[in-house]
Amino acid sequence: MSEFFKAELKDKFLEYAHGRDDYFEVQLLYDEFLRPNYSLQYVEKLLREIIDHDHNLLDIMSGNGVKIFMLSSTAYTEEFLEEGGFKDLYIEEEERWDIFLEQLSNTRRLSSEEKADLGRTEKAIYKRERLLLFGLIGAVTCSFLFTVYSLLKPLFLKTEVSRIVEIEQKLEAMEHQNKGLRQELDSVLQLYEKKIPQ
């Protein structure tokens, strides 16, 4: 069922309720408008949609185990129908969508020349950005390699002078140790000679 037909049915329900001065059963709406092609549950669904839109449109009483059993119009029902009812709401909504879609379709499209120019400018921007990025990566790489070289140079690239100085320092340290050992050995020998009688 189309939305327009549903809007029309809701308006007919409200007109029927407005035309009566008393409460009436939902079954009467079903018998009057939708029998035998639709079910009573469909009538209740449409009534719930009316209530969801504005609970002041109908006065509802429950009974016989159902929430919507008896209905009556309210003072606001006539005012709502005079303003156009659900049909006008539906038409206004459709017109809004039509205007919106028309505005979307009226947005100016780029010509093929503008698209080509746009592509060229984007490529130029990307080319410049790519060049700057590679330059930055190159500078960081050079800096890293220089740092590694500076750290490893003393370990592997010692000059001969520094090697000779290092060897001399080691020899001096060994001589100093030997002197210390000789002195200890001499003192031990002297003690030993004193203890052994001749």
Side-chain angles (χ1 to χ4, degrees), residues 22-69:
D22 59 344
Y23 282 88
F24 61 93
E25 291 182 33
V26 173
Q27 182 73 40
L28 288 174
L29 290 177
Y30 174 66
D31 293 338
E32 183 77 23
F33 298 104
L34 291 172
R35 181 179 284 260
N37 298 326
Y38 295 93
S39 66
L40 184 62
Q41 287 79 22
Y42 190 72
V43 174
E44 291 173 358
K45 179 185 172 210
L46 291 177
L47 288 171
R48 272 190 225 102
E49 288 179 12
I50 292 171
I51 295 163
D52 288 343
H53 177 74
D54 189 346
H55 66 279
N56 292 323
L57 287 174
L58 290 171
D59 190 19
I60 294 173
M61 288 194 302
S62 58
N64 284 355
V66 290
K67 286 187 178 179
I68 304 173
F69 178 60

mmCIF file of all heavy atoms in Angstrom, residues 22-69:
data_model
loop_
_atom_site.group_PDB
_atom_site.id
_atom_site.type_symbol
_atom_site.label_atom_id
_atom_site.label_comp_id
_atom_site.label_asym_id
_atom_site.label_seq_id
_atom_site.Cartn_x
_atom_site.Cartn_y
_atom_site.Cartn_z
ATOM 1 N N ASP A 22 -20.070 10.302 19.572
ATOM 2 C CA ASP A 22 -19.900 9.343 20.654
ATOM 3 C C ASP A 22 -18.662 8.471 20.400
ATOM 4 O O ASP A 22 -18.006 8.604 19.381
ATOM 5 C CB ASP A 22 -21.144 8.446 20.752
ATOM 6 C CG ASP A 22 -21.402 7.697 19.448
ATOM 7 O OD1 ASP A 22 -20.821 8.094 18.404
ATOM 8 O OD2 ASP A 22 -22.148 6.714 19.460
ATOM 9 N N TYR A 23 -18.380 7.604 21.364
ATOM 10 C CA TYR A 23 -17.301 6.640 21.177
ATOM 11 C C TYR A 23 -17.797 5.512 20.281
ATOM 12 O O TYR A 23 -18.974 5.147 20.329
ATOM 13 C CB TYR A 23 -16.864 6.055 22.531
ATOM 14 C CG TYR A 23 -15.968 6.986 23.316
ATOM 15 C CD1 TYR A 23 -16.516 7.940 24.174
ATOM 16 C CD2 TYR A 23 -14.590 6.911 23.187
ATOM 17 C CE1 TYR A 23 -15.698 8.800 24.886
ATOM 18 C CE2 TYR A 23 -13.768 7.764 23.901
ATOM 19 C CZ TYR A 23 -14.320 8.710 24.743
ATOM 20 O OH TYR A 23 -13.503 9.551 25.441
ATOM 21 N N PHE A 24 -16.893 4.986 19.465
ATOM 22 C CA PHE A 24 -17.257 3.869 18.588
ATOM 23 C C PHE A 24 -16.103 2.859 18.569
ATOM 24 O O PHE A 24 -14.969 3.188 18.881
ATOM 25 C CB PHE A 24 -17.587 4.366 17.181
ATOM 26 C CG PHE A 24 -16.441 5.054 16.497
ATOM 27 C CD1 PHE A 24 -15.566 4.358 15.663
ATOM 28 C CD2 PHE A 24 -16.226 6.413 16.701
ATOM 29 C CE1 PHE A 24 -14.525 5.009 15.039
ATOM 30 C CE2 PHE A 24 -15.167 7.065 16.077
ATOM 31 C CZ PHE A 24 -14.305 6.361 15.248
ATOM 32 N N GLU A 25 -16.432 1.632 18.171
ATOM 33 C CA GLU A 25 -15.428 0.572 18.161
ATOM 34 C C GLU A 25 -14.542 0.665 16.918
ATOM 35 O O GLU A 25 -14.972 1.149 15.863
ATOM 36 C CB GLU A 25 -16.102 -0.807 18.167
ATOM 37 C CG GLU A 25 -16.794 -1.144 19.454
ATOM 38 C CD GLU A 25 -17.396 -2.546 19.423
ATOM 39 O OE1 GLU A 25 -16.800 -3.423 18.760
ATOM 40 O OE2 GLU A 25 -18.438 -2.742 20.044
ATOM 41 N N VAL A 26 -13.332 0.161 17.061
ATOM 42 C CA VAL A 26 -12.386 0.120 15.939
ATOM 43 C C VAL A 26 -12.959 -0.737 14.818
ATOM 44 O O VAL A 26 -12.729 -0.480 13.632
ATOM 45 C CB VAL A 26 -11.011 -0.450 16.416
ATOM 46 C CG1 VAL A 26 -10.073 -0.662 15.269
ATOM 47 C CG2 VAL A 26 -10.403 0.471 17.445
ATOM 48 N N GLN A 27 -13.735 -1.738 15.170
ATOM 49 C CA GLN A 27 -14.346 -2.650 14.196
ATOM 50 C C GLN A 27 -15.160 -1.874 13.152
ATOM 51 O O GLN A 27 -15.202 -2.243 11.981
ATOM 52 C CB GLN A 27 -15.236 -3.655 14.934
ATOM 53 C CG GLN A 27 -15.890 -4.697 14.057
ATOM 54 C CD GLN A 27 -14.907 -5.747 13.571
ATOM 55 O OE1 GLN A 27 -14.050 -6.165 14.317
ATOM 56 N NE2 GLN A 27 -15.029 -6.139 12.320
ATOM 57 N N LEU A 28 -15.786 -0.758 13.576
ATOM 58 C CA LEU A 28 -16.592 0.034 12.637
ATOM 59 C C LEU A 28 -15.717 0.637 11.532
ATOM 60 O O LEU A 28 -16.137 0.700 10.373
ATOM 61 C CB LEU A 28 -17.339 1.137 13.381
ATOM 62 C CG LEU A 28 -18.509 0.682 14.263
ATOM 63 C CD1 LEU A 28 -19.064 1.853 15.058
ATOM 64 C CD2 LEU A 28 -19.599 0.059 13.410
ATOM 65 N N LEU A 29 -14.512 1.100 11.894
ATOM 66 C CA LEU A 29 -13.598 1.628 10.868
ATOM 67 C C LEU A 29 -13.216 0.526 9.886
ATOM 68 O O LEU A 29 -13.156 0.757 8.679
ATOM 69 C CB LEU A 29 -12.334 2.195 11.529
ATOM 70 C CG LEU A 29 -12.480 3.471 12.332
ATOM 71 C CD1 LEU A 29 -11.153 3.837 12.979
ATOM 72 C CD2 LEU A 29 -12.956 4.609 11.451
ATOM 73 N N TYR A 30 -12.992 -0.647 10.422
ATOM 74 C CA TYR A 30 -12.627 -1.779 9.565
ATOM 75 C C TYR A 30 -13.780 -2.103 8.614
ATOM 76 O O TYR A 30 -13.581 -2.260 7.404
ATOM 77 C CB TYR A 30 -12.274 -2.987 10.442
ATOM 78 C CG TYR A 30 -12.013 -4.241 9.645
ATOM 79 C CD1 TYR A 30 -10.921 -4.332 8.792
ATOM 80 C CD2 TYR A 30 -12.866 -5.338 9.758
ATOM 81 C CE1 TYR A 30 -10.681 -5.478 8.063
ATOM 82 C CE2 TYR A 30 -12.627 -6.486 9.031
ATOM 83 C CZ TYR A 30 -11.534 -6.556 8.173
ATOM 84 O OH TYR A 30 -11.308 -7.690 7.451
ATOM 85 N N ASP A 31 -14.987 -2.186 9.168
ATOM 86 C CA ASP A 31 -16.155 -2.512 8.334
ATOM 87 C C ASP A 31 -16.417 -1.436 7.288
ATOM 88 O O ASP A 31 -16.785 -1.734 6.155
ATOM 89 C CB ASP A 31 -17.403 -2.683 9.216
ATOM 90 C CG ASP A 31 -17.291 -3.907 10.121
ATOM 91 O OD1 ASP A 31 -16.496 -4.818 9.788
ATOM 92 O OD2 ASP A 31 -17.971 -3.939 11.163
ATOM 93 N N GLU A 32 -16.192 -0.173 7.668
ATOM 94 C CA GLU A 32 -16.518 0.946 6.786
ATOM 95 C C GLU A 32 -15.501 1.111 5.659
ATOM 96 O O GLU A 32 -15.868 1.401 4.521
ATOM 97 C CB GLU A 32 -16.587 2.225 7.630
ATOM 98 C CG GLU A 32 -16.975 3.471 6.878
ATOM 99 C CD GLU A 32 -18.472 3.530 6.592
ATOM 100 O OE1 GLU A 32 -19.268 2.893 7.294
ATOM 101 O OE2 GLU A 32 -18.824 4.239 5.636
ATOM 102 N N PHE A 33 -14.190 0.930 5.953
ATOM 103 C CA PHE A 33 -13.167 1.314 4.976
ATOM 104 C C PHE A 33 -12.307 0.162 4.426
ATOM 105 O O PHE A 33 -11.845 0.244 3.294
ATOM 106 C CB PHE A 33 -12.229 2.366 5.592
ATOM 107 C CG PHE A 33 -12.930 3.632 5.980
ATOM 108 C CD1 PHE A 33 -13.207 3.907 7.307
ATOM 109 C CD2 PHE A 33 -13.347 4.533 5.018
ATOM 110 C CE1 PHE A 33 -13.855 5.071 7.668
ATOM 111 C CE2 PHE A 33 -13.993 5.704 5.378
ATOM 112 C CZ PHE A 33 -14.258 5.979 6.710
ATOM 113 N N LEU A 34 -12.053 -0.866 5.198
ATOM 114 C CA LEU A 34 -11.036 -1.835 4.762
ATOM 115 C C LEU A 34 -11.527 -3.280 4.614
ATOM 116 O O LEU A 34 -10.746 -4.135 4.227
ATOM 117 C CB LEU A 34 -9.853 -1.816 5.745
ATOM 118 C CG LEU A 34 -9.029 -0.534 5.714
ATOM 119 C CD1 LEU A 34 -8.016 -0.530 6.832
ATOM 120 C CD2 LEU A 34 -8.332 -0.385 4.388
ATOM 121 N N ARG A 35 -12.735 -3.571 4.955
ATOM 122 C CA ARG A 35 -13.233 -4.944 4.787
ATOM 123 C C ARG A 35 -13.468 -5.205 3.314
ATOM 124 O O ARG A 35 -13.943 -4.309 2.634
ATOM 125 C CB ARG A 35 -14.539 -5.111 5.562
ATOM 126 C CG ARG A 35 -15.117 -6.507 5.473
ATOM 127 C CD ARG A 35 -16.370 -6.607 6.280
ATOM 128 N NE ARG A 35 -16.099 -6.684 7.694
ATOM 129 C CZ ARG A 35 -16.100 -7.811 8.397
ATOM 130 N NH1 ARG A 35 -16.366 -8.928 7.801
ATOM 131 N NH2 ARG A 35 -15.850 -7.807 9.671
ATOM 132 N N PRO A 36 -13.185 -6.305 2.733
ATOM 133 C CA PRO A 36 -12.565 -7.524 3.251
ATOM 134 C C PRO A 36 -11.096 -7.640 2.838
ATOM 135 O O PRO A 36 -10.476 -8.658 3.088
ATOM 136 C CB PRO A 36 -13.377 -8.629 2.562
ATOM 137 C CG PRO A 36 -13.657 -8.063 1.197
ATOM 138 C CD PRO A 36 -13.790 -6.572 1.397
ATOM 139 N N ASN A 37 -10.534 -6.608 2.193
ATOM 140 C CA ASN A 37 -9.183 -6.745 1.620
ATOM 141 C C ASN A 37 -8.057 -6.656 2.649
ATOM 142 O O ASN A 37 -6.957 -7.128 2.391
ATOM 143 C CB ASN A 37 -8.963 -5.681 0.542
ATOM 144 C CG ASN A 37 -9.934 -5.848 -0.612
ATOM 145 O OD1 ASN A 37 -10.307 -6.958 -0.951
ATOM 146 N ND2 ASN A 37 -10.376 -4.745 -1.190
ATOM 147 N N TYR A 38 -8.309 -6.015 3.771
ATOM 148 C CA TYR A 38 -7.278 -5.849 4.793
ATOM 149 C C TYR A 38 -7.773 -6.405 6.121
ATOM 150 O O TYR A 38 -8.964 -6.696 6.271
ATOM 151 C CB TYR A 38 -6.900 -4.371 4.946
ATOM 152 C CG TYR A 38 -6.252 -3.804 3.699
ATOM 153 C CD1 TYR A 38 -7.031 -3.160 2.737
ATOM 154 C CD2 TYR A 38 -4.895 -3.923 3.479
ATOM 155 C CE1 TYR A 38 -6.449 -2.655 1.584
ATOM 156 C CE2 TYR A 38 -4.307 -3.416 2.325
ATOM 157 C CZ TYR A 38 -5.097 -2.788 1.381
ATOM 158 O OH TYR A 38 -4.517 -2.304 0.262
ATOM 159 N N SER A 39 -6.868 -6.508 7.087
ATOM 160 C CA SER A 39 -7.233 -7.091 8.378
ATOM 161 C C SER A 39 -7.515 -5.997 9.408
ATOM 162 O O SER A 39 -7.154 -4.833 9.218
ATOM 163 C CB SER A 39 -6.103 -7.995 8.891
ATOM 164 O OG SER A 39 -4.963 -7.208 9.169
ATOM 165 N N LEU A 40 -8.116 -6.411 10.499
ATOM 166 C CA LEU A 40 -8.395 -5.509 11.614
ATOM 167 C C LEU A 40 -7.078 -5.007 12.232
ATOM 168 O O LEU A 40 -6.990 -3.857 12.670
ATOM 169 C CB LEU A 40 -9.243 -6.220 12.671
ATOM 170 C CG LEU A 40 -9.693 -5.389 13.860
ATOM 171 C CD1 LEU A 40 -10.575 -4.232 13.417
ATOM 172 C CD2 LEU A 40 -10.449 -6.259 14.863
ATOM 173 N N GLN A 41 -6.046 -5.862 12.218
ATOM 174 C CA GLN A 41 -4.739 -5.455 12.749
ATOM 175 C C GLN A 41 -4.156 -4.288 11.944
ATOM 176 O O GLN A 41 -3.456 -3.437 12.485
ATOM 177 C CB GLN A 41 -3.751 -6.632 12.726
ATOM 178 C CG GLN A 41 -4.015 -7.693 13.770
ATOM 179 C CD GLN A 41 -5.157 -8.629 13.372
ATOM 180 O OE1 GLN A 41 -5.481 -8.747 12.202
ATOM 181 N NE2 GLN A 41 -5.770 -9.245 14.365
ATOM 182 N N TYR A 42 -4.456 -4.250 10.642
ATOM 183 C CA TYR A 42 -3.955 -3.150 9.825
ATOM 184 C C TYR A 42 -4.609 -1.832 10.248
ATOM 185 O O TYR A 42 -3.960 -0.789 10.284
ATOM 186 C CB TYR A 42 -4.202 -3.432 8.337
ATOM 187 C CG TYR A 42 -3.491 -2.450 7.457
ATOM 188 C CD1 TYR A 42 -2.106 -2.485 7.310
ATOM 189 C CD2 TYR A 42 -4.199 -1.449 6.809
ATOM 190 C CE1 TYR A 42 -1.456 -1.555 6.525
ATOM 191 C CE2 TYR A 42 -3.550 -0.522 6.025
ATOM 192 C CZ TYR A 42 -2.180 -0.582 5.894
ATOM 193 O OH TYR A 42 -1.526 0.341 5.124
ATOM 194 N N VAL A 43 -5.881 -1.889 10.579
ATOM 195 C CA VAL A 43 -6.575 -0.691 11.072
ATOM 196 C C VAL A 43 -5.909 -0.213 12.362
ATOM 197 O O VAL A 43 -5.645 0.982 12.536
ATOM 198 C CB VAL A 43 -8.075 -0.993 11.321
ATOM 199 C CG1 VAL A 43 -8.755 0.194 11.976
ATOM 200 C CG2 VAL A 43 -8.767 -1.363 10.037
ATOM 201 N N GLU A 44 -5.611 -1.164 13.260
ATOM 202 C CA GLU A 44 -4.962 -0.808 14.527
ATOM 203 C C GLU A 44 -3.574 -0.218 14.285
ATOM 204 O O GLU A 44 -3.166 0.713 14.979
ATOM 205 C CB GLU A 44 -4.879 -2.038 15.430
ATOM 206 C CG GLU A 44 -6.234 -2.481 15.932
ATOM 207 C CD GLU A 44 -6.197 -3.802 16.685
ATOM 208 O OE1 GLU A 44 -5.097 -4.404 16.788
ATOM 209 O OE2 GLU A 44 -7.257 -4.228 17.168
ATOM 210 N N LYS A 45 -2.871 -0.759 13.285
ATOM 211 C CA LYS A 45 -1.538 -0.215 12.959
ATOM 212 C C LYS A 45 -1.647 1.241 12.496
ATOM 213 O O LYS A 45 -0.880 2.109 12.920
ATOM 214 C CB LYS A 45 -0.898 -1.075 11.865
ATOM 215 C CG LYS A 45 0.470 -0.585 11.450
ATOM 216 C CD LYS A 45 1.008 -1.384 10.286
ATOM 217 C CE LYS A 45 2.271 -0.731 9.795
ATOM 218 N NZ LYS A 45 2.540 -0.897 8.399
ATOM 219 N N LEU A 46 -2.638 1.532 11.641
ATOM 220 C CA LEU A 46 -2.828 2.911 11.169
ATOM 221 C C LEU A 46 -3.231 3.839 12.323
ATOM 222 O O LEU A 46 -2.781 4.993 12.390
ATOM 223 C CB LEU A 46 -3.884 2.958 10.057
ATOM 224 C CG LEU A 46 -3.471 2.310 8.724
ATOM 225 C CD1 LEU A 46 -4.631 2.359 7.749
ATOM 226 C CD2 LEU A 46 -2.266 3.006 8.130
ATOM 227 N N LEU A 47 -4.049 3.322 13.230
ATOM 228 C CA LEU A 47 -4.443 4.137 14.390
ATOM 229 C C LEU A 47 -3.237 4.433 15.283
ATOM 230 O O LEU A 47 -3.101 5.538 15.806
ATOM 231 C CB LEU A 47 -5.541 3.427 15.193
ATOM 232 C CG LEU A 47 -6.921 3.389 14.523
ATOM 233 C CD1 LEU A 47 -7.863 2.482 15.278
ATOM 234 C CD2 LEU A 47 -7.492 4.790 14.398
ATOM 235 N N ARG A 48 -2.330 3.435 15.440
ATOM 236 C CA ARG A 48 -1.105 3.680 16.223
ATOM 237 C C ARG A 48 -0.246 4.757 15.564
ATOM 238 O O ARG A 48 0.366 5.578 16.241
ATOM 239 C CB ARG A 48 -0.306 2.381 16.373
ATOM 240 C CG ARG A 48 -0.735 1.586 17.574
ATOM 241 C CD ARG A 48 0.205 0.430 17.874
ATOM 242 N NE ARG A 48 -0.597 -0.739 18.156
ATOM 243 C CZ ARG A 48 -0.826 -1.745 17.310
ATOM 244 N NH1 ARG A 48 -0.276 -1.739 16.121
ATOM 245 N NH2 ARG A 48 -1.587 -2.753 17.655
ATOM 246 N N GLU A 49 -0.185 4.742 14.228
ATOM 247 C CA GLU A 49 0.586 5.775 13.518
ATOM 248 C C GLU A 49 -0.025 7.160 13.748
ATOM 249 O O GLU A 49 0.698 8.149 13.891
ATOM 250 C CB GLU A 49 0.648 5.451 12.024
ATOM 251 C CG GLU A 49 1.561 4.278 11.698
ATOM 252 C CD GLU A 49 1.589 3.955 10.217
ATOM 253 O OE1 GLU A 49 1.086 4.759 9.398
ATOM 254 O OE2 GLU A 49 2.120 2.880 9.869
ATOM 255 N N ILE A 50 -1.351 7.230 13.777
ATOM 256 C CA ILE A 50 -2.027 8.513 14.063
ATOM 257 C C ILE A 50 -1.667 8.978 15.471
ATOM 258 O O ILE A 50 -1.315 10.144 15.690
ATOM 259 C CB ILE A 50 -3.565 8.372 13.909
ATOM 260 C CG1 ILE A 50 -3.938 8.149 12.448
ATOM 261 C CG2 ILE A 50 -4.273 9.604 14.461
ATOM 262 C CD1 ILE A 50 -5.398 7.793 12.219
ATOM 263 N N ILE A 51 -1.717 8.049 16.428
ATOM 264 C CA ILE A 51 -1.414 8.397 17.819
ATOM 265 C C ILE A 51 0.058 8.783 17.972
ATOM 266 O O ILE A 51 0.396 9.723 18.699
ATOM 267 C CB ILE A 51 -1.756 7.206 18.748
ATOM 268 C CG1 ILE A 51 -3.272 6.959 18.710
ATOM 269 C CG2 ILE A 51 -1.291 7.451 20.170
ATOM 270 C CD1 ILE A 51 -3.684 5.604 19.224
ATOM 271 N N ASP A 52 0.938 8.070 17.264
ATOM 272 C CA ASP A 52 2.370 8.402 17.335
ATOM 273 C C ASP A 52 2.630 9.796 16.777
ATOM 274 O O ASP A 52 3.514 10.507 17.248
ATOM 275 C CB ASP A 52 3.205 7.370 16.571
ATOM 276 C CG ASP A 52 3.261 6.038 17.296
ATOM 277 O OD1 ASP A 52 2.939 6.001 18.500
ATOM 278 O OD2 ASP A 52 3.630 5.030 16.650
ATOM 279 N N HIS A 53 1.871 10.182 15.758
ATOM 280 C CA HIS A 53 2.050 11.522 15.184
ATOM 281 C C HIS A 53 1.606 12.587 16.189
ATOM 282 O O HIS A 53 2.324 13.562 16.419
ATOM 283 C CB HIS A 53 1.264 11.645 13.881
ATOM 284 C CG HIS A 53 1.340 13.007 13.281
ATOM 285 N ND1 HIS A 53 2.470 13.469 12.661
ATOM 286 C CD2 HIS A 53 0.439 14.022 13.274
ATOM 287 C CE1 HIS A 53 2.263 14.711 12.261
ATOM 288 N NE2 HIS A 53 1.037 15.074 12.617
ATOM 289 N N ASP A 54 0.421 12.393 16.781
ATOM 290 C CA ASP A 54 -0.077 13.329 17.795
ATOM 291 C C ASP A 54 -1.147 12.616 18.617
ATOM 292 O O ASP A 54 -2.216 12.263 18.096
ATOM 293 C CB ASP A 54 -0.660 14.578 17.124
ATOM 294 C CG ASP A 54 -0.996 15.660 18.135
ATOM 295 O OD1 ASP A 54 -1.027 15.369 19.347
ATOM 296 O OD2 ASP A 54 -1.234 16.803 17.710
ATOM 297 N N HIS A 55 -0.864 12.404 19.887
ATOM 298 C CA HIS A 55 -1.798 11.660 20.737
ATOM 299 C C HIS A 55 -3.080 12.445 21.052
ATOM 300 O O HIS A 55 -4.024 11.894 21.609
ATOM 301 C CB HIS A 55 -1.100 11.213 22.032
ATOM 302 C CG HIS A 55 -0.703 12.352 22.915
ATOM 303 N ND1 HIS A 55 0.446 13.075 22.695
ATOM 304 C CD2 HIS A 55 -1.317 12.891 23.995
ATOM 305 C CE1 HIS A 55 0.538 14.020 23.610
ATOM 306 N NE2 HIS A 55 -0.510 13.930 24.422
ATOM 307 N N ASN A 56 -3.143 13.721 20.676
ATOM 308 C CA ASN A 56 -4.340 14.529 20.921
ATOM 309 C C ASN A 56 -5.378 14.410 19.795
ATOM 310 O O ASN A 56 -6.460 14.975 19.899
ATOM 311 C CB ASN A 56 -3.971 16.002 21.083
ATOM 312 C CG ASN A 56 -3.182 16.243 22.351
ATOM 313 O OD1 ASN A 56 -3.455 15.622 23.373
ATOM 314 N ND2 ASN A 56 -2.207 17.125 22.280
ATOM 315 N N LEU A 57 -5.056 13.711 18.713
ATOM 316 C CA LEU A 57 -5.989 13.632 17.583
ATOM 317 C C LEU A 57 -7.200 12.745 17.892
ATOM 318 O O LEU A 57 -8.288 12.986 17.371
ATOM 319 C CB LEU A 57 -5.268 13.106 16.341
ATOM 320 C CG LEU A 57 -4.315 14.094 15.679
ATOM 321 C CD1 LEU A 57 -3.547 13.420 14.555
ATOM 322 C CD2 LEU A 57 -5.078 15.285 15.142
ATOM 323 N N LEU A 58 -7.012 11.693 18.676
ATOM 324 C CA LEU A 58 -8.102 10.780 19.008
ATOM 325 C C LEU A 58 -8.102 10.510 20.507
ATOM 326 O O LEU A 58 -7.038 10.437 21.122
ATOM 327 C CB LEU A 58 -7.958 9.448 18.260
ATOM 328 C CG LEU A 58 -8.185 9.460 16.752
ATOM 329 C CD1 LEU A 58 -7.795 8.122 16.155
ATOM 330 C CD2 LEU A 58 -9.644 9.775 16.425
ATOM 331 N N ASP A 59 -9.314 10.336 21.048
ATOM 332 C CA ASP A 59 -9.440 9.908 22.436
ATOM 333 C C ASP A 59 -9.670 8.398 22.401
ATOM 334 O O ASP A 59 -10.604 7.922 21.744
ATOM 335 C CB ASP A 59 -10.618 10.631 23.096
ATOM 336 C CG ASP A 59 -10.641 10.396 24.600
ATOM 337 O OD1 ASP A 59 -9.594 9.999 25.154
ATOM 338 O OD2 ASP A 59 -11.710 10.609 25.199
ATOM 339 N N ILE A 60 -8.812 7.641 23.072
ATOM 340 C CA ILE A 60 -8.820 6.187 22.938
ATOM 341 C C ILE A 60 -9.095 5.538 24.278
ATOM 342 O O ILE A 60 -8.558 5.958 25.310
ATOM 343 C CB ILE A 60 -7.470 5.702 22.379
ATOM 344 C CG1 ILE A 60 -7.325 6.230 20.967
ATOM 345 C CG2 ILE A 60 -7.359 4.197 22.402
ATOM 346 C CD1 ILE A 60 -5.995 5.978 20.343
ATOM 347 N N MET A 61 -9.937 4.493 24.255
ATOM 348 C CA MET A 61 -10.168 3.671 25.441
ATOM 349 C C MET A 61 -9.829 2.228 25.092
ATOM 350 O O MET A 61 -10.077 1.781 23.963
ATOM 351 C CB MET A 61 -11.641 3.746 25.868
ATOM 352 C CG MET A 61 -12.022 5.067 26.480
ATOM 353 S SD MET A 61 -13.618 5.022 27.324
ATOM 354 C CE MET A 61 -14.712 4.514 26.040
ATOM 355 N N SER A 62 -9.223 1.536 26.049
ATOM 356 C CA SER A 62 -8.925 0.117 25.831
ATOM 357 C C SER A 62 -10.070 -0.714 26.383
ATOM 358 O O SER A 62 -10.904 -0.245 27.145
ATOM 359 C CB SER A 62 -7.619 -0.252 26.524
ATOM 360 O OG SER A 62 -7.709 0.022 27.903
ATOM 361 N N GLY A 63 -10.102 -1.967 25.967
ATOM 362 C CA GLY A 63 -11.149 -2.871 26.435
ATOM 363 C C GLY A 63 -11.106 -4.179 25.667
ATOM 364 O O GLY A 63 -10.449 -4.269 24.622
ATOM 365 N N ASN A 64 -11.766 -5.189 26.185
ATOM 366 C CA ASN A 64 -11.800 -6.508 25.546
ATOM 367 C C ASN A 64 -10.406 -7.058 25.272
ATOM 368 O O ASN A 64 -10.159 -7.710 24.254
ATOM 369 C CB ASN A 64 -12.603 -6.486 24.240
ATOM 370 C CG ASN A 64 -14.099 -6.441 24.491
ATOM 371 O OD1 ASN A 64 -14.543 -6.513 25.638
ATOM 372 N ND2 ASN A 64 -14.874 -6.301 23.449
ATOM 373 N N GLY A 65 -9.440 -6.695 26.121
ATOM 374 C CA GLY A 65 -8.082 -7.223 25.987
ATOM 375 C C GLY A 65 -7.228 -6.529 24.952
ATOM 376 O O GLY A 65 -6.130 -6.986 24.648
ATOM 377 N N VAL A 66 -7.698 -5.428 24.357
ATOM 378 C CA VAL A 66 -6.883 -4.696 23.380
ATOM 379 C C VAL A 66 -6.690 -3.265 23.861
ATOM 380 O O VAL A 66 -7.541 -2.715 24.564
ATOM 381 C CB VAL A 66 -7.520 -4.704 21.961
ATOM 382 C CG1 VAL A 66 -7.468 -6.078 21.347
ATOM 383 C CG2 VAL A 66 -8.924 -4.170 21.984
ATOM 384 N N LYS A 67 -5.569 -2.660 23.445
ATOM 385 C CA LYS A 67 -5.266 -1.291 23.886
ATOM 386 C C LYS A 67 -6.149 -0.277 23.173
ATOM 387 O O LYS A 67 -6.531 0.742 23.735
ATOM 388 C CB LYS A 67 -3.791 -0.974 23.619
ATOM 389 C CG LYS A 67 -2.855 -1.655 24.575
ATOM 390 C CD LYS A 67 -1.441 -1.174 24.358
ATOM 391 C CE LYS A 67 -0.502 -1.823 25.365
ATOM 392 N NZ LYS A 67 0.887 -1.412 25.183
ATOM 393 N N ILE A 68 -6.434 -0.535 21.897
ATOM 394 C CA ILE A 68 -7.261 0.405 21.134
ATOM 395 C C ILE A 68 -8.587 -0.294 20.845
ATOM 396 O O ILE A 68 -8.672 -1.149 19.963
ATOM 397 C CB ILE A 68 -6.567 0.813 19.817
ATOM 398 C CG1 ILE A 68 -5.181 1.400 20.105
ATOM 399 C CG2 ILE A 68 -7.404 1.799 19.050
ATOM 400 C CD1 ILE A 68 -4.367 1.679 18.864
ATOM 401 N N PHE A 69 -9.639 0.050 21.605
ATOM 402 C CA PHE A 69 -10.934 -0.612 21.436
ATOM 403 C C PHE A 69 -12.011 0.397 21.026
ATOM 404 O O PHE A 69 -12.699 0.211 20.040
ATOM 405 C CB PHE A 69 -11.318 -1.327 22.731
ATOM 406 C CG PHE A 69 -12.648 -1.996 22.670
ATOM 407 C CD1 PHE A 69 -12.901 -2.997 21.741
ATOM 408 C CD2 PHE A 69 -13.674 -1.625 23.535
ATOM 409 C CE1 PHE A 69 -14.146 -3.606 21.669
ATOM 410 C CE2 PHE A 69 -14.918 -2.235 23.475
ATOM 411 C CZ PHE A 69 -15.149 -3.230 22.544
#
